[in-house]
Amino acid sequence: MILLLGLLLVLPAHAAVFKNAQPTEVEALKQGVTLRVYRVEQPPILMPELVPGQTPNADVRIDSLEVRGADGFAGIDSPVVAHLTAKLRVDIAGSHRFRLTSDDGSFLDINGLQVIENDGRHAMVPVESGTIDLGAGLHDLRVRYFDSWGERGLLLEWQPPGANDFSRIPPDLLATEAGVTRVISPGIKRVLEGRRPGDGVPLEDVHPSFRIDNLRPEGFKPMVGSMCFDASGRLIVGTFFPIQMGGATLPDMESKEPDTLIAITGIRPSENPDGNPSLVETRVVAEGLFEPAGLCAVGEAIYVAQRRAITKLTDTDGDGFFETHENVGEGWDAWNYHEFTFGLEHIDRDGDGPHPGYLYGALSTSIAPLEWDGVTSYAGPNGPWRGGVIEVDLSTNTTHVIAGGTRTPNGLGLGPVVDGEPTLFYADNQGSWMPTSQFSEVIPGRFYGHDNPTGFVPNLAERFPDGGLPSVFVQRPRTPAAILLPHNELSRSPTQSLLIEHGPYEGQMLLGELTAGGLRRLFLERVNGTWQGAVFRHSQGLEAGVNRLIRGPEGALYIGGIGGNGNWNWNDTRFGLQRLSPSDADVAFEMHSVSATTDGFIIRFTHDVATDWLADPSNYRLSQWSYEPTEDYGGPKMNMEPLEVELATVVNSRAVRIAVPGVQVGRCIAIHCDPLSLETGERIRSPEAWYTLNTRPIAHEATDEPSFARAAERSGLGVGVLPPADATPLITGNAAAQWQRVGRGGPSTEARTHADVVSAPGYIETTGGDRETAALFGDARFHIEWYSPPGGQGQSAGNSGVYVQGLYELQVLGTLTAQRLGRELRADEAGAIYGVRAASANSSNGPGEWQAYDIWF
């Protein structure tokens, strides 16, 4: 039992139906026009070109091609760029003319060809096209528009065959995609402004360390939801056709047709070194599945993560077809089109023994229309376990939730081995309570930030008469992301990660990206028990957005692509299957890694760099910002500020240590190395990195070597460290149940609503009186954090204590720092065993600051 003597203390805790067939050439349409609005930083003079792959500030369906005033552009303040797209139905073939009137500039494209230019800042000015021959049928219209300030207006008219003058295009001749979830994000969008690929804009090619091969035989268009290699070396692919919410309706998930698994052979480098698609063969090897979003081979069996279960597939008769299906994990609902079961990863925690090990998957949360009462930011109600990471014990076929607060955990991945155990990571997508996408280690007992809504939704009264269920572990503090992925700037929808096992980037990870396309490279380091690190651009130039990424038996990487309607795709692609084989190219010139130091960072490069360049502080541009999680869909950068490099010290010809005053914990730091070239003239592939600083290294951790090369402790020391997986958080959003007043009976039984738990502070504040834990503990490590108020001297500086077993008091006190104290510590100061022995070192930061120490008992 722990007894608290009147102190302030913190213990941080941790639509339509999906069809198995390929999509038709003509997408489902509904009447209207899609309007996407992007806010830009500087008022344009001429039409700016946006950096590709950015999520708009607004994405709405409107009725016509006439838009006026701020309200017409979804209320987004100027300066803005807007894109309007629609299918124009032409009933009578012949010569057409168009007239585009706008304030400020605008362009009209028809079927991909520009037919009107009305550029520049001006009032409502009309510009007419020449004669355009259009056949009967559907034609693509695209209007690009910008407004710098002042009045806004846009009108597209036409003069069809037989008409004497221009007129508005009838709304019933305009159509746009149906079944679209309109994803948006706040913040300023970037403009190209002559930037080269990799410098403020996406790369254009695959990383030089790889050669890319296309593996799809003619007519094979897989929309890849999952991949694994089975025991015989076949690539197994699970495919499904994604459908999204349309307007105020949801897809009927119960009428979905079954999905299949496909075995693909002829793809290994030894049997198809040149990537010849004609050598690739496909065969259906399992049927009757429901959106396989995760696959894993264990021995001769295949495990598949379906919407409502994790299922073991067995080829009983040895004919290559998995005819026997047995559910090994279940217990969650899947009523909503956005409720997937992602995964799978297998870990054999018992070594080579008879135990088959454990499977890990992740359950995404629901989305509902904003038009429904009780729905905010698209977040819908959820049943049990949704938003949780699940563990399946294959020896007993039992499932339980080990972590909570995920939103769209599309893809798990095994990371570096720590203390003999592989680490498990997951990536989450921007949305409600996720201001930007993030990458985190999965630690049992942790909460990762997504707060499932629990309010009543009338449209779902029969399913959720009392509202939805809260997120698992929502009463615990949010675990910070190991790496933040700045939305639009770098990422939009991260997917599966993969550990790099060999080569110059050994120990780092690759991360797939769906709607922004390509791969990212992650450098992770454990600092004071906490993962953090840097993310870099890596590859683009693939045939579709990356949904799945795995390594084959011969070391090549295999990429599965997918895409859907609206902006849930990369470059309007829908399917893909490609192989990345190691190339013979020299190591690319780029940043190898970025590590935190006590006063800044160490930047390492893959090639020798001139030392005079390394030593010049002006060659590094840095900025930092934070994010604030809210129920809004995504969030802007907060507390944005530039940083100056005070000193650049050359470590060696490939590394520099930069001192950066003002860098703060809890920030994402952008690092840009000004145009940098080798003596050969080769420019750095990408001069950008983004580092997430969760904690500063303590002095003895500062090193010139990447921290993954060192032994990594599971838990750290000091203020704000997070507990290991086997810890018992004693102060959380529901702390009342953990503590009782001494001499006043048992713990508090006062009912606390979900809102109370979420809004509760992560500490207990008291001005007097003693509290003790309701639970009993034996041998343990206790992590204690406290805040002593400013003012007071000696024993009046926030005097309190922590009693263990009611026998030993560890002193809590705002003792002056060692520099100010000017003498040896006494047995009545911070960290002392009160009246028995002074602390070996002063554990206090002084009055008015948060303090911390750990007790091993």
Side-chain angles (χ1 to χ4, degrees):
M1 181 177 295
I2 305 175
L3 178 64
L4 306 184
L5 302 181
L7 73 154
L8 175 62
L9 175 148
V10 167
L11 292 168
H14 300 297
V17 237
F18 287 78
K19 294 186 177 179
N20 185 44
Q22 300 299 331
T24 59
E25 291 298 323
V26 179
E27 303 283 1
L29 300 174
K30 65 188 297 185
Q31 184 175 314
V33 177
T34 289
L35 168 66
R36 294 187 177 122
V37 185
Y38 304 81
R39 186 154 190 233
V40 295
E41 185 171 15
Q42 300 297 330
I45 299 174
L46 297 173
M47 178 67 70
E49 185 175 357
L50 296 172
V51 171
Q54 300 184 89
T55 307
N57 296 76
D59 186 337
V60 297
R61 190 200 66 81
I62 58 177
D63 294 327
S64 70
L65 286 165
E66 182 176 12
V67 189
R68 296 183 185 271
D71 291 342
F73 291 90
I76 305 299
D77 294 336
S78 293
V80 297
V81 172
H83 294 167
L84 296 87
T85 56
K87 299 280 188 182
L88 170 65
R89 191 182 84 230
V90 171
D91 295 328
I92 302 175
S95 297
H96 294 68
R97 297 179 66 215
F98 292 85
R99 183 167 68 190
L100 183 59
T101 306
S102 63
D103 173 357
D104 294 308
S106 59
F107 289 76
L108 171 63
D109 300 338
I110 298 181
N111 295 330
L113 297 176
Q114 181 179 305
V115 297
I116 294 180
E117 177 181 341
N118 190 2
D119 207 358
R121 293 177 182 169
H122 50 70
M124 290 291 284
V125 171
V127 175
E128 299 177 6
S129 73
T131 299
I132 303 168
D133 289 329
L134 297 176
L138 296 178
H139 298 270
D140 292 325
L141 292 185
R142 181 188 184 213
V143 177
R144 291 172 290 146
Y145 168 82
F146 79 84
D147 178 70
S148 292
W149 61 69
E151 298 297 322
R152 298 186 193 182
L154 179 70
L155 171 63
L156 178 64
E157 302 168 287
W158 74 339
Q159 186 178 353
N164 296 322
D165 202 354
F166 289 98
S167 62
R168 288 170 172 77
I169 300 175
D172 62 355
L173 297 182
L174 298 169
T176 189
E177 289 179 322
V180 175
T181 300
R182 298 187 178 276
V183 181
I184 59 174
S185 73
I188 301 297
K189 311 308 173 186
R190 292 168 296 139
V191 176
L192 278 176
E193 297 177 332
R195 295 168 171 162
R196 71 178 178 92
D199 188 0
V201 299
L203 294 163
E204 294 181 343
D205 57 352
V206 171
H207 196 273
S209 60
F210 291 109
R211 186 191 78 239
I212 188 166
D213 297 309
N214 296 321
L215 298 176
R216 294 186 297 101
E218 185 175 356
F220 183 51
K221 300 178 179 181
M223 307 181 82
V224 179
S226 53
M227 295 196 301
C228 75
F229 280 87
D230 70 0
S232 67
R234 301 180 300 177
L235 176 62
I236 309 296
V237 170
T239 71
F240 66 81
F241 176 47
I243 292 291
Q244 296 151 313
M245 176 179 65
T249 61
L250 292 175
D252 178 12
M253 302 311 301
E254 298 306 318
S255 59
K256 178 195 180 295
E257 297 178 10
D259 297 295
T260 63
L261 299 187
I262 300 172
I264 304 175
T265 55
I267 62 171
R268 296 167 67 160
S270 60
E271 58 192 5
N272 191 349
D274 298 324
N276 184 350
S278 65
L279 301 179
V280 177
E281 297 182 356
T282 65
R283 175 194 175 190
V284 174
V285 293
E287 297 177 323
L289 303 173
F290 192 18
E291 284 186 11
L295 280 171
C296 183
V298 181
E300 298 293 325
I302 293 287
Y303 292 86
V304 56
Q306 301 186 74
R307 184 171 282 273
R308 288 189 176 87
I310 294 176
T311 305
K312 179 181 180 180
L313 309 183
T314 308
D315 175 14
T316 307
D317 56 11
D319 65 352
F321 187 89
F322 296 95
E323 70 280 349
T324 303
H325 297 192
E326 174 195 4
N327 287 348
V328 298
E330 52 193 337
W332 54 91
D333 66 354
W335 67 275
N336 187 270
Y337 81 101
H338 195 256
E339 290 183 328
F340 306 101
T341 304
F342 294 120
L344 289 168
E345 291 293 343
H346 174 254
I347 299 178
D348 183 3
R349 299 192 181 280
D350 299 308
D352 297 326
H355 192 292
Y358 301 86
L359 292 178
Y360 295 89
L363 307 175
S364 61
T365 57
S366 72
I367 286 181
L370 287 176
E371 294 90 339
W372 288 6
D373 290 341
V375 174
T376 59
S377 299
Y378 293 116
N382 294 274
W385 299 8
R386 280 288 162 189
V389 179
I390 55 176
E391 178 185 77
V392 181
D393 185 339
L394 294 180
S395 66
T396 59
N397 290 350
T398 55
T399 306
H400 66 283
V401 181
I402 62 170
T406 69
R407 179 184 171 269
T408 311
N410 184 12
L412 303 173
L414 297 180
V417 173
V418 176
D419 298 334
E421 289 274 341
T423 49
L424 180 66
F425 285 85
Y426 99 98
D428 215 330
N429 285 215
Q430 176 240 22
S432 56
W433 300 106
M434 296 286 176
T436 195
S437 297
Q438 63 181 43
F439 185 77
S440 304
E441 183 189 8
V442 176
I443 300 175
R446 292 286 178 87
F447 174 70
Y448 289 92
H450 187 264
D451 179 8
N452 289 349
T454 57
F456 177 68
V457 177
N459 285 36
L460 299 171
E462 184 175 347
R463 182 178 296 277
F464 298 105
D466 300 318
L469 296 182
S471 306
V472 180
F473 301 130
V474 70
Q475 76 278 12
R476 298 184 179 180
R478 181 185 184 117
T479 295
I483 295 180
L484 294 166
L485 304 168
H487 194 77
N488 281 328
E489 193 168 334
L490 180 75
S491 174
R492 289 173 61 189
S493 50
T495 56
Q496 189 160 14
S497 58
L498 182 70
L499 183 67
I500 301 173
E501 297 180 342
H502 306 287
Y505 308 103
E506 180 180 351
Q508 301 188 33
M509 300 184 76
L510 295 176
L511 178 66
E513 168 61 43
L514 203 156
T515 59
L519 300 173
R520 312 294 180 263
R521 177 168 56 88
L522 307 172
F523 167 79
L524 291 157
E525 58 179 356
R526 188 178 285 279
V527 179
N528 200 19
T530 299
W531 283 114
Q532 58 189 38
V535 55
F536 309 89
R537 302 186 191 275
H538 184 273
S539 287
Q540 286 287 4
L542 303 171
E543 66 176 343
V546 179
N547 191 41
R548 291 294 174 257
L549 172 68
I550 63 171
R551 180 178 288 105
E554 297 178 3
L557 305 185
Y558 296 83
I559 291 176
I562 201 170
N565 291 350
N567 59 10
W568 196 79
N569 59 68
W570 176 70
N571 285 356
D572 205 29
T573 54
R574 299 292 193 272
F575 52 82
L577 181 64
Q578 293 175 295
R579 182 180 72 193
L580 295 181
S581 301
S583 74
D584 296 329
D586 294 334
V587 175
F589 175 39
E590 58 191 343
M591 280 186 270
H592 173 273
S593 55
V594 176
S595 291
T597 65
T598 54
D599 60 353
F601 303 95
I602 291 178
I603 304 173
R604 304 175 192 87
F605 299 91
T606 56
H607 288 248
D608 291 343
V609 177
T611 55
D612 58 344
W613 191 98
L614 291 174
D616 186 349
S618 67
N619 287 331
Y620 312 95
R621 296 202 311 270
L622 284 77
S623 60
Q624 67 179 355
W625 62 87
S626 61
Y627 292 99
E628 180 182 348
T630 71
E631 66 178 354
D632 293 338
Y633 199 97
K637 296 177 180 179
M638 309 288 288
N639 306 307
M640 185 80 179
E641 59 180 334
L643 296 168
E644 297 292 333
V645 174
E646 182 179 68
L647 179 66
T649 304
V650 177
V651 176
N652 55 50
S653 61
R654 295 190 179 188
V656 61
R657 179 169 183 156
I658 56 174
V660 189
V663 67
Q664 296 186 46
V665 169
R667 298 291 192 265
C668 182
I669 296 98
I671 301 173
H672 186 281
C673 296
D674 269 342
L676 174 59
S677 301
L678 299 177
E679 292 183 357
T680 60
E682 179 185 357
R683 290 200 295 180
I684 189 167
R685 178 169 167 81
S686 174
E688 299 176 291
W690 294 262
Y691 190 95
T692 301
L693 186 67
N694 290 322
T695 183
R696 294 179 185 276
I698 55 180
H700 71 266
E701 282 189 333
T703 176
D704 296 342
E705 292 297 323
S707 65
F708 64 74
R710 311 194 306 272
E713 286 193 13
R714 270 291 183 184
S715 58
L717 301 168
V719 174
V721 301
L722 292 166
D726 57 353
T728 301
L730 295 177
I731 294 185
T732 67
N734 199 20
Q738 304 281 1
W739 298 90
Q740 58 192 9
R741 291 280 187 180
V742 175
R744 298 188 185 179
S748 169
T749 57
E750 177 184 357
R752 295 171 64 82
T753 67
H754 179 249
D756 293 334
V757 170
V758 172
S759 62
Y763 56 82
I764 291 176
E765 184 171 359
T766 181
T767 56
D770 301 338
R771 303 188 187 203
E772 61 185 6
T773 59
L776 300 177
F777 300 92
D779 294 348
R781 170 187 174 183
F782 304 106
H783 177 71
I784 311 295
E785 299 192 11
W786 81 93
Y787 177 88
S788 292
Q793 296 181 356
Q795 295 299 295
S796 297
N799 191 340
S800 189
V802 179
Y803 268 99
V804 181
Q805 290 190 331
L807 298 174
Y808 311 99
E809 180 187 359
L810 280 295
Q811 178 73 329
V812 165
L813 191 73
T815 304
L816 296 176
T817 61
Q819 292 84 350
R820 294 183 59 194
L821 204 59
R823 57 170 172 77
E824 293 185 356
L825 292 166
R826 297 194 296 250
D828 59 357
E829 292 177 316
I833 303 177
Y834 188 77
V836 176
R837 197 195 77 177
S840 301
N842 190 354
S843 64
S844 174
N845 295 326
E849 300 287 341
W850 281 98
Q851 335 279 336
Y853 56 62
D854 287 58
I855 304 168
W856 280 262
F857 180 79

